[in-house]
Amino acid sequence: MIIKHINTQPFMDQRPGTSGLRKKVSVFQQSHYLENFIQSIIDIIGGGKGKTWIIGGDGRYFNDEAIKIILRIVCANKFKKVWIGQNGLLSTPAVSHLIRHYYADGGVILSASHNPGGIKGDFGIKYNTSNGSPAPENIVEKIYQRTQEITTYRISDDFSLDLSFLNKHTYEETEIEIVDSVYEYALLMEKIFDFQAIQDLFIIKKFNFVFDAMHAATGPYALDIFEKRIGASSGTVKNFIPQKDFGGIHPDPNPIYARHLVDLMMQDQHPDFAAASDGDGDRNMVIAPSQIIIPSDSIAILAAHAHLIPAYQNGLKGVARSMPTSQALDQVAHFLNIPCYETPTGWKYFGNLLDAGLITLCGEESAGSGSNHIREKDGLWAILFWLNLIAIKREPVNKIVSDHWHKFGRHFYARYDYENLDKNIADKMMNGFAENMHKFINKTIHSRTIIKIDNFSYQDPIDGFIVYHQGFRLILDQGGRIVMRLSGTGTEGATLRIYLEQYIKNYRDYSIQSAYILHELDYISKEILKLTEYTGLRQPTIIT
Ligand code: G1P
Ligand code: ZN
């Protein structure tokens, strides 16, 4: 095998965002682009000699080509071993698990998560460390710095490898093992949950469940777990063949892109429960009859019932949520007398808390929830958790949700996204607000008083690393909260996210709609940002 040292030049745009480096496919297809980024990761971990990695992706367009390039770089850098998912496919949670299972030094996930795929879509690279977690911010920063000074990368000559067969190959010093994408992950789920109870729910109680894999990575996992292992009827899992363009849809399980599933649950003849997950399998959506369970409520309800699940029967050490996520989880933590940590947006901030044993469960408003079983959010885990809970409680899903609100109060919540903004205008608007924000403290706007405003910063309690400017947090009277930040995962222009939250403790009126409860907060956010003035927009592009 010939190893080449290729001269290269830095690309200025390789700063990873909330979740890895995400760009248009065409950007990743530029010569040296992917190579530079992968070599930069290898350089900052002290070179590849003797190292071991897990490699896999969500099967989107460019997955196959990218894996080949990464393998050539890995061999040229003298890695000891890499494990690759069959056909190059691994969900994000499965990569996290395999890193931990094989005690690997880390892993590379090829995915742009829920962003659209296909030749005109997005591609991405996420680097996870030896604990299975997305690289923490201090390592991400080092990788970025390295991309800005890189001058050469190492790559072997091309070799052909059939990724469809489970097999081992050795190239120079590197062993490449192609592993079953599903097997170890499914075993892990079996250890956490009571599959027998879920089977009884499906077969004896004739509970009707539908899962939509959205043509993405979880298809093979869901088929194996729900239909083969648990025994759900054939046809339970929909759209289970991963496609390069996800069937032309956004593989994002939310009321917009999984509209068909929501519509199904709103019909008179509906299943008892429905769920979906995203491109790389780390997000989840759960839907009860006529009711979408919002992610912020979902993680709170799971935390409140965790002691009913085999793996968590001894209780929770603590919980954590990202800052914009509603405070429903805080109520549960208070009741359980355990700590609730508030972290910046992005799963990477949970890793240290999980490793240190400070938390057992964590979640984000963006359809992500997970636990200490791995170091990523995990879509199928959350859905199995719900099924296990329903199987044990033997109550309709809607009742579990309304009982929770009765006990803890309800956090009305919505995220308003303003997409495709001009980046300069969005930055100007946010900077303008930052300069003036102190003027709004103690101001009453639309009959609500703003009590406190800050730009969220966070110091990691374990490694001490501090991050600033993680979003504006406004606390209002009467239990209101508004959070405003720019997205860190987009690949075009800017997206403003405004998160509105209203807590009502003695919640009894089930007919009230969130939009009605939140409309004052919506007005206030638009007014203080001068949103229409800057962007011309009056309404968000998407509400989730
Ligand atoms: C979004 C979500 C965030 C999530 C991330 C990766 O990031 O808001 O919670 O961790 O995707 O799935 P954002 O675009 O807001 O930076
Ligand atoms: Zn994802």
Side-chain angles (χ1 to χ4, degrees):
M1 179 175 280
I2 299 163
I3 299 195
K4 293 178 253 182
H5 290 245
I6 307 285
N7 290 332
T8 186
Q9 284 184 339
F11 289 89
M12 293 303 144
D13 64 346
Q14 292 201 325
R15 182 186 280 284
T18 312
S19 181
L21 183 68
R22 233 177 251 191
K23 301 282 171 196
K24 290 271 165 235
V25 165
S26 54
V27 174
F28 268 102
Q29 282 172 325
Q30 299 172 84
S31 331
H32 310 312
Y33 195 87
L34 174 66
E35 292 86 337
N36 275 14
F37 192 68
I38 298 294
Q39 185 68 55
S40 296
I41 300 174
I42 297 172
D43 289 348
I44 72 107
I45 61 172
K49 180 128 183 99
K51 298 270 170 34
T52 58
W53 267 5
I54 309 292
I55 301 171
D58 62 14
R60 66 179 58 228
Y61 189 84
F62 198 54
N63 199 66
D64 298 348
E65 294 87 330
I67 286 192
K68 278 189 195 144
I69 293 173
I70 296 171
L71 283 179
R72 290 169 58 203
I73 298 178
V74 153
C75 290
N77 280 276
K78 303 183 186 302
F79 270 63
K80 184 169 160 220
K81 171 141 193 177
V82 291
W83 293 262
I84 305 182
Q86 192 172 16
N87 296 315
L89 202 82
L90 283 173
S91 73
T92 288
V95 171
S96 182
H97 175 52
L98 289 180
I99 292 174
R100 299 165 68 77
H101 179 75
Y102 288 121
Y103 298 99
D105 293 306
V108 168
I109 305 168
L110 297 83
S111 172
S113 189
H114 52 285
N115 290 19
I119 190 163
K120 295 207 168 110
D122 294 342
F123 189 75
I125 295 286
K126 304 193 275 187
Y127 168 62
N128 285 29
T129 44
S130 62
N131 59 351
S133 167
E137 198 51 35
N138 58 347
I139 295 182
V140 172
E141 183 58 31
K142 281 187 198 151
I143 296 171
Y144 171 65
Q145 293 305 336
R146 182 66 192 152
T147 64
Q148 298 307 289
E149 59 193 31
I150 190 164
T151 52
T152 65
Y153 62 83
R154 284 175 285 289
I155 190 160
S156 75
D157 51 353
D158 207 355
F159 55 84
S160 69
L161 186 62
D162 185 349
L163 293 182
S164 63
F165 283 104
L166 304 184
N167 213 336
K168 284 183 190 170
H169 310 262
T170 302
Y171 295 94
E172 298 280 330
E173 297 178 29
T174 311
E175 182 177 83
I176 300 175
E177 181 172 352
I178 299 151
V179 294
D180 188 293
S181 311
V182 175
Y183 182 71
E184 293 295 347
Y185 176 83
L187 287 188
L188 176 68
M189 292 301 112
E190 266 179 354
K191 279 191 205 135
I192 297 174
F193 299 108
D194 184 347
F195 275 27
Q196 184 61 53
I198 303 174
Q199 185 173 73
D200 292 350
L201 178 75
F202 287 163
I203 294 173
I204 301 174
K205 298 276 161 200
K206 308 228 172 318
F207 186 85
N208 186 356
F209 166 62
V210 173
F211 174 80
D212 191 336
M214 301 186 84
H215 308 284
T218 45
Y221 296 83
L223 262 190
D224 181 272
I225 291 172
F226 295 131
E227 296 194 13
K228 204 173 112 205
R229 288 174 194 262
I230 301 183
S233 56
S234 155
T236 296
V237 179
K238 316 273 182 219
N239 300 321
F240 52 81
I241 300 176
Q243 291 180 22
K244 283 177 191 295
D245 67 346
F246 308 115
I249 59 164
H250 281 234
D252 195 1
N254 67 30
I256 319 304
Y257 300 116
R259 176 88 243 163
H260 53 286
L261 211 55
V262 177
D263 289 346
L264 177 72
M265 296 304 281
M266 300 297 156
Q267 287 169 10
D268 291 342
Q269 293 292 319
H270 51 68
D272 297 304
F273 191 52
S277 60
D278 73 330
D280 61 331
D282 56 358
R283 293 187 172 201
N284 76 89
M285 173 165 82
V286 283
I287 319 173
S290 306
Q291 183 183 22
I292 298 166
I293 304 170
I294 64 164
S296 292
D297 278 346
S298 176
I299 185 67
I301 295 169
L302 299 186
H305 294 94
H307 59 283
L308 300 175
I309 305 298
Y312 314 108
Q313 59 188 342
N314 296 330
L316 306 176
K317 297 220 173 92
V319 291
R321 62 165 173 82
S322 67
M323 183 272 280
T325 304
S326 101
Q327 296 161 102
L329 185 59
D330 306 42
Q331 300 288 338
V332 176
H334 182 72
F335 174 80
L336 296 174
N337 200 20
I338 54 173
C340 179
Y341 295 85
E342 185 175 39
T343 56
T345 300
W347 208 261
K348 58 190 163 197
Y349 297 101
F350 296 134
N352 281 348
L353 297 172
L354 288 162
D355 279 355
L358 296 176
I359 60 168
T360 315
L361 294 194
C362 43
E364 291 196 276
E365 53 69 39
S366 55
S369 35
S371 86
N372 58 358
H373 68 292
I374 53 170
R375 296 293 180 271
E376 285 278 4
K377 58 192 175 215
D378 189 342
L380 288 175
W381 169 89
I383 295 159
L384 284 163
F385 199 134
W386 269 101
L387 289 169
N388 199 158
L389 185 60
I390 298 161
I392 288 171
K393 287 193 72 97
R394 305 211 163 176
E395 286 172 347
V397 190
N398 305 78
K399 181 168 182 328
I400 296 175
V401 176
S402 55
D403 284 354
H404 184 90
W405 289 338
H406 257 94
K407 182 166 175 184
F408 294 100
R410 179 170 173 188
H411 292 255
F412 287 88
Y413 184 87
R415 186 175 96 186
Y416 286 26
D417 286 345
Y418 296 80
E419 297 181 318
N420 296 321
L421 305 180
D422 180 290
K423 177 131 185 24
N424 291 330
I425 292 179
D427 286 340
K428 246 191 203 162
M429 178 171 70
M430 298 308 262
N431 293 338
F433 178 74
E435 277 162 28
N436 289 309
M437 68 184 192
H438 61 278
K439 294 186 193 152
F440 294 109
I441 299 172
N442 294 325
K443 277 265 151 48
T444 300
I445 308 173
H446 292 284
S447 75
R448 302 293 294 272
T449 304
I450 300 172
I451 298 168
K452 196 180 150 194
I453 306 182
D454 64 6
N455 195 344
F456 184 62
S457 59
Y458 176 74
Q459 176 163 35
D460 188 295
I462 314 301
D463 64 23
F465 197 80
I466 305 178
V467 285
Y468 299 95
H469 308 134
Q470 295 297 307
F472 300 109
R473 207 166 41 158
L474 288 77
I475 308 298
L476 291 91
D477 63 347
Q478 305 163 47
R481 192 176 79 132
I482 300 174
V483 171
M484 310 185 298
R485 58 180 283 278
L486 294 181
S487 155
T489 53
T491 55
E492 253 174 9
T495 294
L496 168 68
R497 303 203 197 283
I498 300 186
Y499 312 76
L500 308 174
E501 176 178 355
Q502 178 62 53
Y503 180 51
I504 300 186
K505 191 165 192 313
N506 294 310
Y507 165 72
R508 294 289 176 267
D509 183 354
Y510 292 102
S511 62
I512 298 184
Q513 297 289 317
S514 283
Y516 175 74
I517 298 276
L518 299 172
H519 78 277
E520 281 168 355
L521 303 182
D522 175 29
Y523 278 128
I524 296 168
S525 62
K526 283 192 267 204
E527 191 164 319
I528 58 179
L529 275 182
K530 297 191 181 149
L531 190 121
T532 307
E533 217 169 285
Y534 276 105
T535 66
L537 296 172
R538 293 180 188 281
Q539 300 299 333
T541 0
I542 289 193
I543 300 180
T544 49

